[in-house]
């Protein structure tokens, strides 16, 4: 989401004639688009701010005109005033809905006058129009915000409640992407399967199209709508991120199974394997429900790969709870996982819970979770050696300029020899061997 929004802000800059500077130090304007989800991201931002503050001071000491410093994104939503007072070098803060006010801010910067703060309203980015020539993949935001309030998560506080994008606007973007020859799209939202667009609340937006549900379009309805719109276009692969297991419906699984444009990979963040901890996290599903979902997905969509997020060290987590997570990981056998340990986030329900787990215990438990996942990932990938796959060729291998890097629809990486003219196209390959987490493949 952060990458998609950075691209949307970059588009506004380009449309106004701004160009990318070779470095932050040589720029007329420095824009830091922030993320608040992890504590470490906030710490890193503060380090960058200190750097630019010192740079601005050095320029002022040498009577050189200084750059404009803007902080955007979740941290600006959450801590805007605090950041401005701690780092006076910041000229402007703008939150996650900043795209609505960014052009006015830029106009003020260009005219050398201060910007009068205005209210921000959500704007869905049209990522397609900024695509560079030859680009073959794009994000497509479909909703913003989250109503779930998982007890450890700051997203609903910084991004606000769920707002779904109109199907007509999504359709327009799909058409633009197809005209540009895009091959792969990722539908984006904090909790995509809560997508719901109400026609009665937006009476002008139906355009005579079919509806699903009592009023409007729900997520499986949107997937069906998208599958129809991308049929016979250049867009052959569709992913979506992120899907909360508690909201993943049987209808969504059925639509994925029926329409081959949906990639055979799903990122489904389980977070924990203990029902006690899942309840404390306010995840609103149980371990049993998750296991059933995984089984239903694998039954409906044979060969689908599943990945996940695992959060260890939540307050009150015991050895038994951790064992429940390790057992769930062994049972499901995710292809990969993003694994992290709990950081208290001020303002969230879990922040003040008793029984916070000591730092060294969190680290030790995280180490065990990572070791298990690494083993499962290696075994899962090794079992795939020898299979034939369709891949999207993404670019030149970073390790060898004579080789191409490609990705399967199951989100596995492969390198193979071939001409760079193949970049951005699909190919049938055979996975010959595995090195680390990357297959060595060859065109069939
Ligand atoms: S579903 Fe939970 S973890 Fe995901 S964004 Fe919403 S509150 Fe945060």
């Amino acid at each position: 989401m952060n990458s998609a929004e950075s691209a949307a802000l970059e588009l506004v800059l380009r449309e106004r004639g701004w160009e990318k500077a070779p470095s932050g130090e040589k720029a007329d304007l420095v824009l830091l688009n922030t993320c608040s989800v992890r504590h470490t991201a906030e710490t890193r931002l503060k380090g960058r701010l200190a750097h630019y503050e010192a740079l601005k001071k050095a320029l002022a000491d040498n009577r050189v005109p200084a750059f404009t410093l803007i902080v955007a994104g979740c941290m600006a939503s959450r801590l805007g005033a605090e950041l401005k007072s701690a780092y006076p070098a910041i000229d402007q803060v703008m939150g996650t809905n900043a795209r609505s006010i960014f052009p006015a801010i830029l106009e003020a910067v260009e005219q050398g006058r201060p910007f009068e703060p205005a209210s921000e309203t959500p704007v869905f980015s049209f990522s397609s129009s900024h695509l560079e020539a030859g680009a073959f993949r794009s994000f497509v935001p479909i909703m913003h915000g989250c109503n779930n309030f998982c007890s450890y998560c700051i997203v609903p506080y910084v991004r606000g409640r769920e707002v779904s994008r109109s199907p007509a606007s999504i359709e327009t973007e799909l058409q633009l992407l197809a005209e540009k020859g895009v091959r792969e799209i990722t539908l984006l939202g904090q909790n995509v399967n809560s997508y719901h667009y109400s026609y009665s609340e937006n009476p002008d937006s139906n355009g005579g199209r079919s509806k699903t549900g009592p009023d409007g379009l729900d997520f499986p309805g949107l997937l069906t709508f998208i599958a129809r719109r991308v049929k016979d276009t250049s867009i052959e692969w569709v992913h979506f991120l992120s899907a909360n297991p508690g909201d993943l419906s049987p209808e969504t699984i059925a639509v994925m199974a029926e329409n081959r444009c949906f990639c055979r990979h799903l990122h489904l963040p389980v977070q924990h394997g203990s029902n006690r901890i899942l309840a404390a996290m306010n995840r609103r599903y149980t371990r049993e429900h998750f296991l059933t979902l995984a089984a239903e997905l694998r039954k409906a969509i044979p060969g689908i790969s599943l990945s996940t997020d695992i959060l260890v060290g939540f307050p009150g987590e015991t050895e038994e709870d951790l064992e429940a997570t390790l057992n769930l990981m062994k049972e499901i056998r995710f292809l990969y996982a993003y694994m992290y340990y709990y950081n208290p986030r001020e303002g969230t329900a879990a922040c003040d819970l008793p029984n916070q787990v000591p730092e060294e215990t969190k680290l030790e438990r995280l180490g065990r979770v990572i070791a298990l996942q690494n083993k499962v990932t290696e075994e899962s990938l090794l079992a795939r050696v020898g299979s034939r796959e369709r891949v999207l060729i993404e670019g030149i291998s970073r390790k060898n300029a004579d080789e191409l890097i490609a990705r399967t629809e199951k989100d596995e990486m492969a390198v193979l020899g071939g001409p760079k003219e193949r970049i951005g196209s699909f190919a049938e390959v055979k996975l010959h061997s595995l090195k680390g987490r990357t297959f060595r493949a060859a065109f069939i």
Side-chain angles (χ1 to χ4, degrees):
M1 186 61 92
N2 189 269
S3 298
E5 288 170 355
S6 293
L9 294 172
E10 190 180 332
L11 167 65
V12 178
L13 282 158
R14 285 219 218 135
E15 280 173 351
R16 296 188 68 88
W18 290 75
E19 286 171 13
K20 217 175 222 174
S23 69
E25 287 65 32
K26 296 204 168 115
D28 295 315
L29 182 143
V30 172
L31 173 61
L32 299 170
N33 192 23
T34 62
C35 172
S36 242
V37 168
R38 310 272 349 263
H39 182 64
T40 40
E42 292 201 352
T43 309
R44 208 174 325 147
L45 187 268
K46 287 178 181 167
R48 296 262 174 97
L49 285 175
H51 168 75
Y52 285 115
E53 181 126 303
L55 195 61
K56 257 193 163 179
K57 185 171 176 310
L59 290 171
D61 290 347
N62 291 309
R63 294 170 196 266
V64 176
F67 51 90
T68 300
L69 180 58
I70 301 179
V71 180
C74 292
M75 261 186 94
S77 294
R78 198 168 86 81
L79 301 169
E82 203 179 297
L83 286 174
K84 265 199 104 173
S85 92
Y87 301 92
I90 298 174
D91 295 286
Q92 187 71 44
V93 289
M94 51 185 204
T96 49
N97 292 321
R99 200 165 165 252
S100 62
I101 56 165
F102 193 41
I105 292 176
L106 284 178
E107 193 176 293
V109 170
E110 288 154 7
Q111 294 170 359
R113 59 176 169 80
F115 174 73
E116 298 302 330
S119 62
E120 299 172 9
T121 48
V123 178
F124 286 104
S125 51
F126 274 72
S127 46
S128 48
S129 34
H130 75 269
L131 286 183
E132 288 167 11
F136 51 87
R137 58 151 58 113
S138 180
F139 293 119
V140 177
I142 59 163
M143 53 94 66
H144 278 310
C146 184
N147 296 350
N148 279 348
F149 288 91
C150 300
S151 65
Y152 55 85
C153 181
I154 202 155
V155 165
Y157 304 95
V158 291
R159 296 227 165 225
R161 299 301 90 77
E162 291 165 0
V163 182
S164 294
R165 182 178 183 179
S166 77
S169 161
I170 295 170
E171 181 176 34
T172 305
E173 181 154 7
L174 294 178
Q175 276 165 358
L176 286 167
L177 293 169
E179 278 163 22
K180 292 190 177 224
V182 162
R183 308 274 190 193
E184 177 189 41
I185 57 169
T186 302
L187 311 176
L188 275 188
Q190 263 78 40
N191 182 21
V192 284
N193 33 24
S194 299
Y195 177 91
H196 185 268
Y197 190 78
S198 164
Y199 291 115
S200 61
E201 286 169 23
N202 301 277
D204 298 332
S205 62
N206 185 9
R209 292 194 184 88
S210 62
K211 302 176 181 183
T212 64
D215 166 37
L217 205 61
D218 58 9
F219 187 58
L222 178 71
L223 292 187
T224 306
F225 176 87
I226 287 173
R228 289 194 189 126
R229 297 305 177 281
V230 301
K231 196 167 189 294
D232 301 324
T233 73
S234 63
I235 302 167
E236 293 187 37
W237 282 5
V238 181
H239 304 265
F240 52 86
L241 266 181
S242 276
N244 186 308
D247 297 321
L248 188 75
S249 65
E251 291 79 16
T252 296
I253 298 175
V255 176
M256 284 178 75
E258 277 161 25
N259 294 280
R260 204 53 193 88
C261 62
F262 296 110
C263 287
R264 276 25 191 158
H265 166 246
L266 186 62
H267 188 76
L268 204 54
V270 66
Q271 304 296 3
H272 213 279
S274 153
N275 281 339
R276 209 176 61 80
I277 298 294
L278 285 172
M281 287 177 167
N282 193 29
R283 289 294 285 176
R284 299 183 297 127
Y285 55 85
T286 60
R287 164 197 184 86
E288 292 72 25
H289 177 76
F290 193 92
L291 288 167
T292 305
L293 264 186
E296 282 172 0
L297 278 160
R298 285 179 167 150
K299 186 169 169 222
I301 309 165
I304 190 171
S305 69
L306 299 175
S307 56
T308 199
D309 297 341
I310 306 270
L311 172 55
V312 300
F314 190 80
E317 182 191 69
T318 61
E319 266 301 312
E320 206 182 350
D321 295 321
L322 184 80
E323 280 302 322
T325 299
L326 294 168
N327 286 337
L328 180 129
M329 291 167 70
K330 283 181 202 158
E331 202 163 328
I332 303 243
R333 295 184 66 80
F334 298 104
L335 178 63
Y336 62 83
Y338 296 108
M339 296 158 284
Y340 51 115
Y341 68 79
Y342 173 74
N343 283 149
R345 309 299 290 125
E346 213 175 301
T348 60
C351 186
D352 300 321
L353 283 179
N355 304 320
Q356 297 280 334
V357 177
E359 201 77 359
E360 59 276 16
T361 309
K362 287 194 231 177
L363 270 172
E364 187 271 328
R365 289 179 182 171
L366 181 62
R368 280 153 66 194
V369 165
I370 291 173
L372 171 61
Q373 184 56 49
N374 284 347
K375 183 169 170 289
V376 172
T377 298
E378 193 187 338
E379 288 169 0
S380 308
L381 291 175
L382 270 175
R384 303 256 302 126
V385 170
S387 49
R388 291 165 176 242
E389 279 295 320
R390 189 149 191 258
V391 294
L392 178 57
I393 300 176
E394 295 191 337
I396 306 275
S397 161
R398 261 185 279 168
K399 290 193 180 147
N400 182 347
D402 293 331
E403 288 187 322
L404 302 170
I405 189 97
R407 193 183 296 265
T408 72
E409 65 172 322
K410 294 172 181 159
D411 210 14
E412 303 150 324
M413 300 302 296
V415 289
L416 68 171
K420 64 178 188 318
E421 289 69 31
R422 299 290 299 259
I423 294 171
S425 64
F426 290 104
E428 302 298 323
V429 303
K430 184 167 182 195
L431 308 177
H432 279 296
S433 57
L434 183 71
K435 190 173 177 197
R437 292 189 171 193
T438 307
F439 292 110
R440 173 150 291 284
F443 289 108
I444 296 173

